[in-house]
Amino acid sequence: MPHLHLESFHPIALPAIEGDVAFDFIATSRGEGKESLIATRFRDREFFVLHKKSGEKDLLKSDKITRPSPNYLIKQALLAYAKHSGIAILDSNVDTAGENVHLKTHDALKSVDFFADNFPTDREVRVEVGFGSARHLLHQALLNPDVLFIGLEIHKPSIEQALKQITIQNLTNIMVLDYDARLFLELIPSNTLSRIYVHFPVPWDKKPHRRVIGDVFVEEALRTLAPQGRLELRTDSENYYRFALETYSHPAYARFEVRKNQEIAIVSKYEDRWKRMEKNIYDVTLINDFESPKKVLEGQFIFNETPINDAILPKLERQTFRREWGFLNTEASFDIREGGWMLRLAMGSFDRPEHLYLIVENGKARYFPTQPVRSSANLKAHILLNELLHG
Ligand SMILES: C[S@@+](CC[C@H](N)C(=O)[O-])C[C@H]1O[C@@H](n2cnc3c(N)ncnc32)[C@H](O)[C@@H]1O
């Protein structure tokens, strides 16, 4: 991850602009383990640059939750902050190379709002979850020019690599999204997808709740798949294979097919490795047979107009509110030097929590960097938060 070690750190006067990068405010954590978050805008993205002490050194890097893609945005923001503050850089892993032309001109990289506002339904749509090296995604897109492929990945270097290849191969039928697949399915209208590929997902043997495939994911996959649509799992993990069989065997679920050591036209890096180790490869395909009802979610992420009293903050700090639909956790709290305060939140369903910030300025609240995904658990968590903020 790009970072700079600075000779010292001092917050600059804000708001400030350095080149194309704007810095709006600085929020410093309350209580132990001081860290500062500098609200940054670059192009159409908002994110935090994080300052904290690392031993004797002052470290400047991107905040994990709001980290934008591509990395170029972070690099520019870090360098812009150092330049504006006039602080010497002791060492860094930030190269000063220009922007990768493939990424700069790319419109295949979409934000989650793009899909939330207007999910594409004008042609056949297939989704690949965790495309990694993107070999399979690119291969399928080349083979099926009339199909739209949405590639989901949470590993930024893989996203950058895929975007580069999309440009080189001049593909116009791929959209790439840096987002957790388990949350993304909730945004898709019912009966829309023809396929969902999940190839070689991380097995998470010690933390099975972190697996992509689980009861809720399968429910959402069946809802979003059109009749005869397929959820295709390919794995080398015996544990994952058995877990999928168990999950798919739930009586309410549809048909599934199992194949062992089936050759496919394109072999991913992972598959190459497992084949060299002579591991078995399993395909477990779930087929949807039903038309699902339209998904209707009531509610908006809007806060009450009544001003929020700052005295509420100590009552909200570092609390977990558990409910039967999920939870709301106020993980950390911050004072905003320019006025107001902020909470780092985890919210929504237990197995697919959303991580983001809540900013309260002049008695008004807003989410940062974007609103939560419109899932039923997130909407319920929002209602709870709204009530708590207003005492
Ligand atoms: C073991 S790799 C397999 C990559 C590729 N499918 C292949 O066959 O080579 C798993 C990939 O899934 C991604 N991933 C893990 N959890 C994810 C999630 N919840 N949403 C989207 N991608 C995820 C990881 O970043 C990683 O690149």
Side-chain angles (χ1 to χ4, degrees):
M1 210 207 290
H3 63 259
L4 306 176
H5 279 124
L6 301 174
E7 193 176 56
S8 60
F9 177 78
H10 56 82
I12 56 177
L14 295 174
I17 290 183
E18 180 64 47
D20 295 338
V21 185
F23 300 106
D24 291 331
F25 64 82
I26 182 162
T28 304
S29 56
R30 292 159 59 89
E32 307 276 297
K34 281 266 176 279
E35 59 178 44
S36 297
L37 293 168
I38 304 145
T40 306
R41 271 180 298 123
F42 186 24
R43 308 236 168 105
D44 56 347
R45 306 297 292 269
E46 282 193 278
F47 54 97
F48 283 128
V49 164
L50 165 71
H51 163 258
K52 66 176 186 184
K53 278 270 179 208
S54 154
E56 284 304 293
K57 291 180 175 174
D58 284 282
L59 178 67
L60 207 60
K61 59 179 192 173
S62 160
D63 158 61
K64 252 196 205 151
I65 293 179
T66 58
R67 193 167 142 204
S69 191
N71 265 346
Y72 176 79
L73 301 180
I74 306 163
K75 291 180 187 175
Q76 288 305 103
L78 297 180
L79 294 172
Y81 190 88
K83 185 171 177 204
H84 198 88
S85 63
I87 309 170
I89 299 171
L90 294 179
D91 58 88
S92 103
N93 68 351
V94 175
D95 57 60
T96 47
E99 184 170 16
N100 182 332
V101 65
H102 301 295
L103 306 183
K104 189 173 184 180
T105 55
H106 233 296
D107 70 355
L109 183 65
K110 300 293 181 202
S111 72
V112 72
D113 299 336
F114 171 88
F115 295 102
D117 295 344
N118 214 346
F119 194 88
T121 49
D122 56 332
R123 52 195 154 148
E124 182 183 337
V125 183
R126 302 188 196 173
V127 167
E128 175 151 359
V129 172
F131 55 73
S133 63
R135 281 192 202 173
H136 180 258
L137 182 67
L138 296 161
H139 166 80
Q140 288 289 352
L142 260 176
L143 212 63
N144 302 284
D146 297 334
V147 177
L148 173 66
F149 288 85
I150 301 175
L152 303 172
E153 194 30 90
I154 50 174
H155 181 238
K156 315 250 177 219
S158 299
I159 292 177
E160 299 195 0
Q161 204 50 37
L163 291 174
K164 200 168 161 182
Q165 284 302 319
I166 290 169
T167 311
I168 292 170
Q169 299 188 31
N170 205 10
L171 290 165
T172 54
N173 59 333
I174 301 184
M175 292 179 180
V176 170
L177 177 63
D178 171 8
Y179 207 70
D180 189 320
R182 295 171 303 170
L183 290 166
F184 182 68
L185 285 193
E186 294 228 16
L187 299 178
I188 303 179
S190 302
N191 314 303
T192 308
L193 306 176
S194 65
R195 281 192 210 184
I196 304 171
Y197 303 104
V198 185
H199 285 190
F200 301 94
V202 184
W204 289 115
D205 284 341
K206 294 203 174 118
K207 294 180 181 167
H209 66 280
R210 296 189 67 173
R211 287 177 179 150
V212 167
I213 289 188
D215 285 339
V216 184
F217 180 86
V218 171
E219 244 171 58
E220 281 296 282
L222 287 173
R223 182 188 63 76
T224 54
L225 283 169
Q228 309 316 313
R230 300 157 71 87
L231 167 60
E232 299 190 0
L233 167 69
R234 189 164 170 86
T235 181
D236 59 288
S237 156
E238 292 270 343
N239 278 346
Y240 214 118
Y241 156 69
R242 287 182 202 291
F243 171 77
L245 289 186
E246 216 172 279
T247 311
Y248 296 173
S249 302
H250 189 285
Y253 293 156
R255 282 181 292 141
F256 60 87
E257 291 170 353
V258 180
R259 294 221 165 81
K260 194 170 162 184
N261 297 329
Q262 184 183 226
E263 297 290 334
I264 56 171
I266 190 84
V267 172
S268 79
K269 263 199 223 162
Y270 281 87
E271 183 159 351
D272 261 344
R273 190 188 304 163
W274 307 139
K275 279 193 161 155
R276 278 198 301 274
M277 291 165 71
E278 298 190 347
K279 285 181 93 175
N280 287 321
I281 309 281
Y282 300 94
D283 284 294
V284 193
T285 302
L286 185 69
I287 303 150
N288 174 43
D289 279 333
F290 304 102
E291 182 96 17
S292 299
K294 209 172 157 199
K295 181 167 177 165
V296 185
L297 275 180
E298 301 290 348
Q300 302 285 339
F301 293 107
I302 294 173
F303 292 97
N304 282 3
E305 287 291 319
T306 330
I308 297 160
N309 190 332
D310 292 342
I312 200 74
L313 176 59
K315 294 186 197 151
L316 293 182
E317 289 175 301
R318 283 178 290 285
Q319 301 280 335
T320 303
F321 305 90
R322 286 192 178 78
R323 299 291 184 270
E324 80 289 345
W325 45 260
F327 76 109
L328 172 70
N329 180 14
T330 56
E331 288 176 348
S333 53
F334 300 79
D335 287 317
I336 297 178
R337 190 187 60 180
E338 289 69 26
W341 45 275
M342 188 169 88
L343 293 171
R344 180 157 64 218
L345 304 174
M347 63 193 264
S349 64
F350 292 111
D351 58 342
R352 296 168 298 162
E354 176 112 27
H355 298 269
L356 75 173
Y357 292 88
L358 176 88
I359 295 173
V360 178
E361 286 163 320
N362 301 319
K364 281 193 169 161
R366 67 181 166 105
Y367 290 108
F368 184 98
T370 56
Q371 290 189 347
V373 165
R374 263 178 70 80
S375 69
S376 58
N378 284 350
L379 282 162
K380 286 180 179 133
H382 170 77
I383 293 170
L384 172 63
L385 177 62
N386 198 19
E387 283 168 7
L388 292 166
L389 287 170
H390 292 91

